[in-house]
Amino acid sequence: MKPDLILHNIAVVTMAGGRYGLIPRGAIIAHRGVIQWVGEEALLPGYQARRTIDGRGRLATPGLIDCHTHLIYAGNRADEFEQRLKGVSYEEIAKAGGGILATVRATRRSSAEALAAAARPRIRSLLDEGVTTIEIKTGYGLDVENEVKMVDAMALLEEDLPVDIFRTFLGAHAIPPEYRGRADAYVDLVCDEMLPAVAHRVNSVDVFCESIAFDLDQTRRILQTARRFALPIKVHADQLSSLGGAGLAAEMGALSAAHLEYLDSSDARLMAESGTVAVLLPGALYYLREERRPPVDLLRRYRIPMAVATDANPGTSPCFSVLAAINMGCMLLGLTPEEALAGVTIHAARALGRETLVGSLEPGKQADIVLWNIEKPVELAYYLGFNPCSAIIRHGRVIRR
Ligand code: DI6
Ligand code: FE
């Protein structure tokens, strides 16, 4: 056999099992976009490859995964940031017609092409930092036509950007103005018309389960409908109050529950039993200057896998840097650098149900590999505003160096 690629003279950080798994003088063999072999360079099988790359001692990690974003949107809410810094709250802004609904108005006025064009530089910012898989949610259309349009924008982005996009339908993100005071009627629309219109084109369904959004019964109905379409489910849960969204997510076998600032121990137990991943979003609590932290010790005690993501969105987390999310995961949530790196690799893959495909450097996985100009994996958490990404291999091909 003559494999496509041998990458040698690298320090391999495999992230298998959520640990660094460092191989100081390592090598990787890939063929047809899939990793065939990972190990010590001294044990490298003797055969030649079509292409051999000398890593010059750089550090190799799996391609990074941003498993929770809302980065397709139109409009500009930078003024809200300024208002918040002058003391106006997120809720007050929302009541005055700003917030999510401001983005919905602008997104409804945009074409799929314009939405994709606006999203492209945001995605590029992530790709420059070694991201090879991202999840993107709908949720700024909030009617059949405009939610479909957001999925169209995802398809356009996938055509010309070197990234695997995991598409999530979040029709239940907010109650649109035309349904104000009629949340149950809007949930009917989500279940009877919106979900059927996008089900064959998305990878999962998410609900914003919160006192200011959808309650437990409404969330359950939407998730049951998703299940009927055989779609995996996710929930935004316990961000602002202890409503029990994470427990419901776990009972229904959700891939992940996100935010979790108000998670309690009985719901954590349910998450552990169902294998639901906890997605931590430090950017949102940083921007909202939220004092409450997700209970990381509780998550550790129950051995619940913790993912870390940007939550990139125009309101609560205008953060388009996964390296910043890693740093904030450590500084604001108390994660260890190893936990934070697992949060954007193997555990992020699990949050997308793709852990057999991506998220670690192990035989059988997609050859998505990032080379970094650093000596130790902790440096990925250490800097702020410095990007040591040096080369990116995606599906076994060098896409950037
Ligand atoms: N939770 C959030 O924090 C964001 N969406 C969500 O479900 C807010 C999105 C926005 O403000 O536009
Ligand atoms: Fe979110």
Side-chain angles (χ1 to χ4, degrees):
M1 170 188 129
K2 192 165 183 171
D4 291 338
L5 178 69
I6 292 180
L7 180 59
H8 71 105
N9 194 10
I10 48 175
V12 186
V13 176
T14 67
M15 295 317 292
R19 311 306 300 265
Y20 288 144
L22 184 69
I23 307 170
R25 267 173 290 281
I28 298 173
I29 301 178
H31 189 61
R32 301 216 164 138
V34 176
I35 296 173
Q36 306 290 326
W37 186 92
V38 182
E40 286 177 39
E41 179 154 4
L43 304 177
L44 194 61
Y47 43 68
Q48 297 285 303
R50 278 174 224 281
R51 177 159 189 197
T52 300
I53 296 176
D54 180 350
R56 303 195 306 275
R58 285 171 291 180
L59 196 112
T61 68
L64 304 187
I65 300 170
D66 193 354
C67 72
H68 184 130
T69 84
H70 311 246
L71 57 69
I72 296 181
Y73 60 85
N76 186 322
R77 285 160 58 196
D79 290 346
E80 290 182 11
F81 172 70
E82 193 157 30
Q83 279 177 282
R84 287 209 306 274
L85 286 168
K86 289 178 178 166
V88 188
S89 74
Y90 186 67
E91 287 75 13
E92 284 164 337
I93 290 168
K95 282 207 186 90
I100 294 177
L101 294 183
T103 301
V104 171
R105 283 193 298 276
T107 301
R108 286 179 171 179
R109 283 195 298 265
S110 289
S111 64
E113 289 74 18
L115 288 174
R120 233 171 245 121
R122 300 172 194 144
I123 297 177
R124 284 216 186 88
S125 158
L126 294 167
L127 300 192
D128 286 345
E129 294 183 342
V131 170
T132 49
T133 300
I134 57 172
E135 187 253 20
I136 310 179
K137 300 175 196 295
T138 69
Y140 291 121
L142 307 186
D143 61 24
V144 176
E145 179 194 342
N146 288 294
E147 287 290 303
V148 168
K149 186 175 73 184
M150 289 194 72
V151 179
D152 292 340
M154 293 180 195
L156 289 171
L157 291 163
E158 243 169 342
E159 273 173 25
D160 63 4
L161 288 173
V163 65
D164 293 339
I165 297 179
F166 182 98
R167 305 174 182 182
T168 296
F169 169 67
L170 178 60
H173 190 194
I175 294 150
E178 62 275 18
Y179 280 87
R180 181 170 301 149
R182 297 188 297 135
D184 282 314
Y186 181 64
V187 172
D188 289 342
L189 180 77
V190 170
C191 293
D192 300 342
E193 294 184 41
M194 289 161 72
L195 226 163
V198 299
H200 60 293
R201 297 178 64 205
V202 298
N203 305 105
S204 79
V205 174
D206 195 345
V207 176
F208 189 16
C209 180
E210 192 55 67
S211 46
I212 56 163
F214 298 89
D215 68 22
L216 282 178
D217 285 336
Q218 292 161 345
T219 302
R220 190 181 294 107
R221 268 173 66 203
I222 294 164
L223 298 181
Q224 279 167 345
T225 310
R227 278 271 174 255
R228 277 205 287 284
F229 285 98
L231 283 167
I233 54 181
K234 300 173 151 291
V235 181
H236 280 69
D238 303 330
Q239 180 185 7
L240 309 168
S241 61
S242 195
L243 206 65
L248 174 65
E251 275 168 0
M252 296 194 61
L255 283 176
S256 65
H259 287 293
L260 304 175
E261 279 78 349
Y262 288 83
L263 178 72
D264 65 28
S265 72
S266 61
D267 282 0
R269 181 191 299 271
L270 293 173
M271 286 180 69
E273 283 166 10
S274 70
T276 300
V277 176
V279 178
L280 307 180
L281 305 167
L285 62 87
Y286 169 72
Y287 273 101
L288 292 177
R289 296 201 282 191
E290 168 69 53
E291 308 265 314
R292 182 93 177 199
R293 296 285 183 266
V296 166
D297 282 336
L298 186 65
L299 295 169
R300 283 189 188 120
R301 204 168 331 127
Y302 282 104
R303 297 179 185 283
I304 295 167
M306 293 181 277
V308 176
T310 61
D311 198 17
N313 78 68
T316 57
S317 189
C319 167
F320 301 91
S321 166
V322 80
L323 292 175
I326 294 173
N327 176 269
M328 287 190 281
C330 295
M331 297 304 298
L332 302 178
L333 308 183
L335 299 182
T336 66
E338 190 175 45
E339 285 173 328
L341 191 57
V344 297
T345 54
I346 187 69
H347 294 158
R350 254 185 98 164
L352 303 180
R354 292 195 174 169
E355 69 276 15
T356 61
L357 285 177
V358 291
S360 63
L361 297 176
E362 294 179 272
K365 294 225 178 168
Q366 218 162 275
D368 293 349
I369 306 164
V370 187
L371 297 184
W372 306 89
N373 264 325
I374 55 177
E375 291 174 33
K376 305 164 186 178
V378 60
E379 289 175 76
L380 294 172
Y382 174 54
Y383 306 109
L384 190 58
F386 174 64
N387 176 11
C389 179
S390 157
I392 301 168
I393 293 163
R394 173 171 180 261
H395 300 180
R397 294 222 175 106
V398 179
I399 58 165
R400 209 173 294 197
R401 62 184 316 183

